């Protein structure tokens, strides 16, 4: 190993069990405040990834996240929120986790050590050169992710990596490495904390910016969101009221007739 595993270095805080509750929370919060600054430094690399993704999405390409444990779950979370938020089909952004769906809720022993499994999982989705694979691993050395990125790259697929250890294996493999150095965790080695938070922020940036770039947002509104409950119908109605300058009931009628904010607004202006 020729890189420093910052995610495994000792916490900046000692004797946690001797702290009172408020001190524990204050110290955790102090560490959390370092996360946004670390993420800010990755914006140039995230920009490259989003622009490459936008090109490929216009050609029908897809975004795959691969990860294990917390990192894998975060990828699945981001992917699962794309259809309701932006009205995109489920198969355009896909999260894959070592151990399969069982691992979303329960750890699957040794699953992350299966070097060739990620490529098997990707092939099951018919991956092509128009797609992009983003490997997520705080350590940057998870075999499931390392192997998946290596195989994707060998097959001419654009790869990116999100890791909290600069210079880690997945950062060296990926075409676009996103290295978020958040420093040691408050609880030594517990990467579900600052590392996980930083990954979630970057995933939010990637998917939201991508959806904006490919036209799934209008102004600052989710005009393609799925109208799956009363709250979202109300939100969509208010978007239409604002855009068209009409009363609530008229906006609601348009929304229910056309089924989406975007189509309702276009009809109202037409």
């Amino acid at each position: 190993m020729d890189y420093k595993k910052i995610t495994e270095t000792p916490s900046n805080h000692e004797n946690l069990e001797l702290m009172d509750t408020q001190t524990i929370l204050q110290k955790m919060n102090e560490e959390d405040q370092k996360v946004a600054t670390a993420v800010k430094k990755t914006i140039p690399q995230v920009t490259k990834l989003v622009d490459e993704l936008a090109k490929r999405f216009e050609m029908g390409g897809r975004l795959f996240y691969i990860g294990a444990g917390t990192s894998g779950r975060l990828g699945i979370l981001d992917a699962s929120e794309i259809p309701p938020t932006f009205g995109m089909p489920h198969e355009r952004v896909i999260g894959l986790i070592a151990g399969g769906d069982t691992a979303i809720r329960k750890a699957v022993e040794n699953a992350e050590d299966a070097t060739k499994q990620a490529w098997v999982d990707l092939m099951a989705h018919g991956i092509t050169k128009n797609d992009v694979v983003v490997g997520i691993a705080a350590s940057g050395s998870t075999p499931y992710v390392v192997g998946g990125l290596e195989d994707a790259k060998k097959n001419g697929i654009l790869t990116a990596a999100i890791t909290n250890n600069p210079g880690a294996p997945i950062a060296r493999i990926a075409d676009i490495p996103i290295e978020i150095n958040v420093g040691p965790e408050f609880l030594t080695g517990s990467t579900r904390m600052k590392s996980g938070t930083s990954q979630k922020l970057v995933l939010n940036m990637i998917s939201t910016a991508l959806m904006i770039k490919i036209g799934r947002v209008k102004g600052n509104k989710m005009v393609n969101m799925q109208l799956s409950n009363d709250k979202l119908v109300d939100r969509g109605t208010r978007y239409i009221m604002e855009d068209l300058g009409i009363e609530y009931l008229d906006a609601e009628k348009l929304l229910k007739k056309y089924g989406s904010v975007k189509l309702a607004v276009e009809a109202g202006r037409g």
Side-chain angles (χ1 to χ4, degrees), residues 9 12 15 27 39 60 78 81 91 110 125 133 138 141 155 157 164 175 207 217 221 226 249:
T9 54
N12 294 319
N15 302 314
K27 297 301 182 183
V39 169
D78 194 68
E81 292 174 341
E91 61 268 18
N110 299 323
H125 288 273
V133 177
S141 58
N155 285 276
I157 297 161
N164 298 97
D175 299 300
S207 57
V217 171
K221 297 181 176 64
Q226 292 178 351
L249 290 177

Side-chain angles (χ1 to χ4, degrees), residues 156-170:
I157 297 161
L158 183 73
T159 59
I162 301 172
T163 180
N164 298 97
N165 285 319
I170 64 169

